[in-house]
Structures are given as C-alpha cells and as structure tokens.
Amino acid sequence: MKSMILSAVMILVSSAALAADIEFSNPHVYVPLKGTNTTAGFGTIKNTTKSEVTVKVVSATPFKAVELHESSEKNGRMTMSKMETIKVAAGQTFELKPGGNHIMLFDATKPVEEKQTVAIKLLVNDKEQTVNFPVVTRLSKETKTEDKKEEHHHH
Ligand SMILES: [Cu+2]
C-alpha cells in the first residue's frame, strides 16, 4: 500500500521536484590530471530522513563511466576498490574526499576544465537525483601527511 502511494507520487512529480532524501553539499570535481581524462568527484552527503538512505551513482556527463570508490591503505600503498552503494544512516553525513571515498569518473568525452560543471546522476533510494559538480583545480597537495613525525637524531 505504502509503495503504491509512493509510486503514484513519483509518477506525478518529477524527481527534481521531489523533496530529496539527501542534501549534497560542496560538490566538486577536480580538473583531470594533465594527459588523462579520468578524475574524481567529492562532497558531503547528508541524509535528511529518519531512516537509512542508499546512494548509487548512475552516470556523469561528459564521462563514459562512473564508479563509487573507497580508498584504503594496504602495505603502505593506497589502493582503490569499487563500492556498489553508499549507505548513510538517518541524520548522518557521508564524506567523499581526496584519499577517502570518492566518485571516480572515467573517460571524459571532451576536455573538462575549470568553471564547467559535471552533472552526476545519483540514485537515492532508487529515486534519480542529479547534482551539478563544479570543476575546480586540484588544491596544492594537502600537508596533513606532515603529521608523520620527522625523525630527529640526537647524539
Ligand atoms: Cu577511484
């Protein structure tokens, strides 16, 4: 019954006009590294509902393929692996950030430059939601790794 009402509502109201289940803040995509046409998208997903939401990534214009990735460190090397979905608990946020989870964008079909936007289509609880990601230049490498203690040799 509930699902019948939900689908009726979804037919009547376009997905863009539906109250979204998430707020996507600070969306941004890095300009692809020189000589590549692959890059990644970041931002913060906030679940605005009272139950868990599931987020999938469907497509990104102008890229041929898109995947959700998580980064992890194995034997001192960063590796990326594919995730099918992001699950965000009620009222919680999920961060997509460099060195962590991200939206991987493969094979741009045209040059992707600063001040453009990449339209990324998400499925949020199986409802389509498109978020526009401004393209920004890569920040100069974050210096957080400097936390690693320098070795001081005292004699
Ligand atoms: Cu990746």
Side-chain angles (χ1 to χ4, degrees), residues 5-137:
I5 294 168
L6 272 178
S7 14
V9 168
M10 281 165 69
I11 291 161
L12 289 172
V13 188
S14 84
S15 59
L18 262 179
D21 292 343
I22 59 161
E23 271 172 25
F24 203 113
S25 55
N26 190 28
H28 58 288
V29 161
Y30 280 162
V31 173
L33 282 178
K34 256 204 177 121
T36 76
N37 55 5
T38 295
T39 186
F42 310 100
T44 303
I45 300 169
K46 180 170 172 50
N47 177 352
T48 56
T49 72
K50 293 192 165 61
S51 49
E52 185 182 75
V53 296
T54 301
V55 181
K56 294 180 193 178
V57 181
V58 182
S59 62
T61 310
F63 291 85
K64 281 188 192 159
V66 61
E67 285 179 4
L68 282 172
H69 277 184
E70 60 186 334
S71 304
S72 54
E73 205 179 312
K74 276 177 197 157
N75 306 323
R77 290 191 61 180
M78 293 299 288
T79 58
M80 301 193 292
S81 51
K82 194 178 164 182
M83 323 161 60
E84 292 305 323
T85 56
I86 292 171
K87 289 187 191 299
V88 191
Q92 295 302 113
T93 57
F94 188 94
E95 272 210 78
L96 298 164
K97 60 182 181 203
N101 299 280
H102 53 276
I103 300 171
M104 199 81 202
L105 303 162
F106 297 101
D107 293 335
T109 54
K110 62 181 180 112
V112 174
E113 286 154 6
E114 207 181 349
K115 297 196 174 85
Q116 294 177 346
T117 57
V118 174
I120 299 186
K121 196 191 278 179
L122 308 172
L123 265 189
V124 181
N125 288 341
D126 294 324
K127 287 176 282 189
E128 269 185 20
Q129 182 173 343
T130 299
V131 178
N132 289 316
F133 285 61
V135 179
V136 300
T137 51

